[in-house]
Amino acid sequence: MGTKQQITERIGSLLRDSKLSVTETRTKILELFMKSNGALEHSDFEKLAGKSFDRVTVYRTLQTFLDKGIIHKIPTTDTSVRYAVCKSECSEHHHHDHHIHFKCEECGTTICLDDTDVPQIHLPKGYAMHNVEVVVSGVCKGCK
C-alpha cells in the first residue's frame, strides 16, 4: 500500500495520466480503494469516509473512473455492483482486467484473484467474446 505521501502521489499520477483533474472527491474515493482489501460498493464510500458524500457525485465519479479504465465492475449474484482498481494495462474504454474474483459468503468481501488464470473459453464459429466475468464464492480465511 505505501505511505500516505506515496498513495497521494500515486493517485495524482493516476488521475493526470487519465487526463482528469485532481479533485478532493476523486482523491478521497481513490484513497478508499487503495486502503481497502477488496472491492467496494457504492454505499461503502459513505461508510468508510466517515462523512457524507453526495451520492450523485460518487456515482458520476465511479462512472468516470470506469470510462477511463481506472476501476472495473465486478459481477455479483444480487443487484449490487462492486468496483475494484484496474491494473496499469487498462486504458480508457479498454479494460484488460480479465481475472477471477472471489466473494466470501459470510462477510461479503470480494477480492481479485490476479494470480488465477481465467479458463480458456471456446465459442462456436461466428461468435465473438467481449467480456469474461468469473466469480468464485466460498468462505474467506478471516471467516473460516
Side-chain angles (χ1 to χ4, degrees):
M1 181 164 59
T3 67
K4 173 92 168 136
Q5 183 172 345
Q6 289 170 326
I7 292 171
T8 302
E9 289 172 7
R10 182 173 173 216
I11 289 169
S13 176
L14 183 60
L15 290 171
R16 285 188 296 279
D17 290 348
S18 298
K19 296 180 176 49
L20 293 172
S21 56
V22 180
T23 66
E24 183 179 348
T25 300
R26 289 176 179 162
T27 300
K28 187 64 177 172
I29 287 175
L30 284 174
E31 279 178 8
L32 293 173
F33 272 117
M34 295 189 184
K35 290 178 181 177
S36 74
N37 290 327
L40 299 172
E41 291 183 20
H42 189 277
S43 61
D44 291 331
F45 297 100
E46 291 178 31
K47 294 178 207 169
L48 295 173
K51 66 176 187 174
S52 180
F53 270 124
D54 176 345
R55 289 177 189 245
V56 174
T57 301
V58 172
Y59 175 80
R60 287 182 181 157
T61 301
L62 293 174
Q63 189 60 50
T64 298
F65 289 170
L66 281 168
D67 292 343
K68 293 290 187 175
I70 296 172
I71 62 173
H72 63 277
K73 284 184 181 180
I74 298 174
T76 63
T77 55
D78 57 17
T79 59
S80 66
V81 177
R82 291 181 177 263
Y83 305 91
V85 175
C86 288
K87 304 301 172 224
S88 60
E89 304 86 44
C90 292
S91 61
E92 189 169 356
H93 305 293
H94 201 302
H95 291 274
H96 295 284
D97 267 319
H98 300 292
H99 56 265
I100 296 174
H101 296 94
F102 178 88
K103 181 177 181 186
C104 179
E105 296 167 342
E106 297 291 323
C107 67
T109 298
T110 302
I111 62 167
C112 299
L113 301 176
D114 296 320
D115 297 329
T116 304
D117 294 330
V118 174
Q120 190 172 22
I121 298 169
H122 302 283
L123 294 176
K125 187 175 182 176
Y127 287 73
M129 183 175 1
H130 292 158
N131 190 30
V132 176
E133 297 177 341
V134 180
V135 177
V136 176
S137 62
V139 180
C140 71
K141 64 182 178 183
C143 293
K144 196 169 183 181

